[in-house]
């Protein structure tokens, strides 16, 4: 009997198991998510006080019908904005590196080699979102194409991305790779 599981299906299955916390045995001594979430709350308060982010309205709790699968002990369901933030928007006022949806190498889900260095007078109207090294960018335009990448470098000129991206800059203790893989997983899509 032939197995119809192709490489892409296998990759998706492994990704799904990883996101669900089912690939490795869990250490009962690991810090529970509740402790990390308290640290994140303090970091949020500090960033708001330093005016690096805006104070956001509390998000509604996750309901039972929103939960797609059971989590391992110590894990908690949270909303994406509970583990990451964005830096807001601005109109470019000096030379900048522009990252558009076409800047992502779709095959590898990384930023391509071609960086568009633009002067502010040549900035497209959609060049507004501020990012930094470590930020996860997720294209909301045709999301089925999975144009997702991590800003994994420092730029000579400030990076500004298109408004076509959702921006998630992880709080301390949250791995951007985990957010990246969650956004690529079937359950998120």
């Amino acid at each position: 009997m032939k197995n119809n599981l192709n490489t892409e299906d296998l990759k998706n299955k492994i990704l799904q198991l990883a996101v669900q916390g089912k690939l490795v045995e869990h250490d009962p001594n690991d810090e529970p998510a509740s402790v990390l979430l308290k640290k994140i709350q303090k970091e949020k308060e500090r960033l708001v006080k330093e005016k690096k982010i805006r104070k956001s309205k509390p998000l509604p709790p996750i309901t039972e019908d929103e939960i797609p699968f059971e989590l391992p002990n110590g894990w908690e369901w949270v909303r994406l904005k509970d583990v990451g933030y964005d830096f807001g928007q601005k109109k470019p006022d000096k030379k900048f590196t522009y990252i558009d949806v076409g800047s992502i190498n779709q095959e590898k889900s990384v930023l391509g080699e071609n960086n568009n260095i633009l002067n502010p007078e040549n900035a497209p109207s959609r060049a507004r979102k501020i990012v930094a090294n470590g930020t996860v960018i997720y294209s909301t335009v045709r999301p089925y194409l999975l144009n997702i990448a991590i800003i994994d470098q420092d730029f000579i000129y400030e990076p500004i991305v298109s408004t076509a991206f959702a921006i998630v800059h992880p709080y301390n203790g949250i791995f951007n790779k985990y957010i990246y893989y969650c956004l690529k997983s079937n359950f998120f899509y």
Side-chain angles (χ1 to χ4, degrees), residues 23-64:
L23 280 187
V24 296
E25 195 171 316
H26 292 275
D27 184 345
N29 298 316
D30 282 348
E31 177 180 88
S34 59
V35 173
L36 177 58
L37 293 171
K38 286 177 186 172
K39 291 177 185 176
I40 286 173
Q41 186 56 42
K42 287 181 181 179
E43 182 182 359
K44 275 185 198 180
E45 291 166 5
R46 179 184 55 79
L47 290 170
V48 167
K49 189 175 181 178
E50 294 172 359
K51 298 186 180 190
K52 291 185 178 177
I53 64 171
R54 292 183 180 171
K55 186 174 183 173
S56 57
K57 295 178 183 176
L59 298 170
I62 304 222
T63 62
E64 284 293 319

Side-chain angles (χ1 to χ4, degrees), residues 113-182:
E113 306 270 328
N114 300 331
N115 294 325
N116 296 316
I117 309 298
L118 300 176
N119 289 314
E121 62 271 13
N122 298 327
S125 61
R126 62 189 179 277
R128 295 288 186 267
K129 292 193 173 184
I130 303 165
V131 294
N133 197 337
T135 301
V136 180
I137 57 176
Y138 178 90
S139 174
T140 57
V141 176
R142 296 184 303 254
Y144 58 87
L145 294 176
L146 295 177
N147 281 319
I148 306 166
I150 296 173
I151 305 293
D152 61 354
Q153 60 187 296
D154 292 314
F155 295 91
I156 295 170
Y157 300 104
E158 178 182 32
I160 304 284
V161 302
S162 168
T163 54
F165 287 110
I167 305 303
V168 184
H169 193 81
Y171 287 105
N172 288 323
I174 302 294
F175 296 108
N176 58 6
K177 284 260 187 190
Y178 184 76
I179 292 172
Y180 166 87
Y181 285 121
C182 282

